[in-house]
Amino acid sequence: MNSQTLPSYDSLSRPLPIWHPKAIYYSLVRLLFQTIGQISDGIRLGLKYGFDSGVMLEYVYRNRPSGITWFGKIIDRVYLDSQGWQGIRQRGEILKSVLRQVIQDNFEQGVTTNLLDVACGGGRYDLEVLLDFSGGAVNALLRDYKAENVQKAQELALHLGVSATIEQADAFNDDDLNRVLPPPNLIVVSGLHEILPDNELIRQHFQQLYRLLEPGGTLIFTIQPYHPQLEFIARVLNSHTGKPWVMRLRPLELTEAWATDAGFQDFQVQMDNFNIFGVVKARK
């Protein structure tokens, strides 16, 4: 099944008639998640913070099942082994590889990397890469608009012994973006655009990021053109907003067109093994 044959964002945003067999099925699954599912630490975190939240993704990246009793751990293992979460972890590894290479290239050219992550979540992929560099090779500014994500990233930085400025800020707010000093020559946007349905917001974001990025700098962003569990997620799981997690899939061609219109060029794309998530590198 490709993205053209999957249910649309608009159709998934509409509740099913209560008599529909799928409505009955998904109601039962939601009930299971909200009762028995809570003995899985992962499911419990998702219900509390949102299954698309930075706290949830940090748990998925750690990939260590836990729960109440041995049965809770089994449920958690099944949950963490879903194809979507496997793809997320692969995306994280690809992202770290691309990020590491950009910083290394700058280092070899005698250029200090001024890194800005506009929505870092728990910050794990950034901070694990920063472990490989020292001596002022990188000035890192990690931001997120959720206080709990900022706290998680600060705790992880302390645990890893990594130096980075971690603060609360809005990735789409011009005033917040204009406060970034020094101007970044590397910007990361991971997992942000995929959880937001507003196409115009994303299109304008590429223009904001282009204005902010130093000439010759690099933008790394992620995409999600496909997901095999699209309807299940929309009908069962809640997002960080507390509403159903309805994903708007965007083909690479659309996202790349927005980035091109903003001025970016030289796109390089790497996809996970399931072709769910991708990491794109572009240059200003």
Side-chain angles (χ1 to χ4, degrees), residues 177-234:
L177 292 173
N178 290 338
R179 288 192 294 105
V180 176
L181 289 173
N185 54 15
L186 174 57
I187 297 178
V188 175
V189 189
S190 176
L192 177 63
H193 294 169
E194 298 92 310
I195 65 174
L196 298 171
D198 188 337
N199 280 344
E200 183 60 19
L201 181 69
I202 306 308
R203 186 190 70 80
Q204 291 181 2
H205 199 222
F206 281 109
Q207 297 177 15
Q208 291 174 292
L209 297 175
Y210 187 84
R211 290 194 296 268
L212 183 63
L213 187 64
E214 284 279 89
T218 300
L219 171 68
I220 301 173
F221 63 96
T222 57
I223 57 171
Q224 181 181 316
Y226 166 72
H227 202 294
Q229 299 162 303
L230 196 66
E231 185 167 16
F232 178 91
I233 289 170

Side-chain angles (χ1 to χ4, degrees), residues 98-249:
V98 175
L99 185 57
R100 188 177 288 112
Q101 188 59 59
V102 173
I103 296 173
Q104 182 64 34
D105 288 346
N106 285 345
F107 178 75
E108 292 175 359
Q109 295 169 27
V111 175
T112 298
T113 297
N114 296 316
L115 165 66
L116 168 66
D117 190 324
V118 298
C120 68
R124 180 171 293 274
Y125 50 85
D126 293 309
L127 296 171
E128 288 183 347
V129 168
L130 292 177
L131 273 173
D132 298 339
F133 298 92
S134 60
V138 185
N139 296 318
L141 173 58
L142 313 185
R143 290 174 149 191
D144 202 278
Y145 92 108
K146 284 280 192 179
E148 60 262 29
N149 293 341
V150 172
Q151 181 180 348
K152 286 284 186 183
Q154 290 171 337
E155 291 171 354
L156 182 59
L158 184 63
H159 174 72
L160 294 176
V162 173
S163 176
T165 301
I166 304 171
E167 64 184 26
Q168 190 170 3
D170 186 337
F172 299 96
N173 183 280
D174 280 325
D175 289 339
D176 282 353
L177 292 173
N178 290 338
R179 288 192 294 105
V180 176
L181 289 173
N185 54 15
L186 174 57
I187 297 178
V188 175
V189 189
S190 176
L192 177 63
H193 294 169
E194 298 92 310
I195 65 174
L196 298 171
D198 188 337
N199 280 344
E200 183 60 19
L201 181 69
I202 306 308
R203 186 190 70 80
Q204 291 181 2
H205 199 222
F206 281 109
Q207 297 177 15
Q208 291 174 292
L209 297 175
Y210 187 84
R211 290 194 296 268
L212 183 63
L213 187 64
E214 284 279 89
T218 300
L219 171 68
I220 301 173
F221 63 96
T222 57
I223 57 171
Q224 181 181 316
Y226 166 72
H227 202 294
Q229 299 162 303
L230 196 66
E231 185 167 16
F232 178 91
I233 289 170
R235 304 296 185 194
V236 175
L237 306 185
N238 55 286
S239 75
H240 66 285
T241 66
K243 298 177 181 179
W245 182 11
V246 184
M247 298 179 184
R248 186 187 289 279
L249 301 178

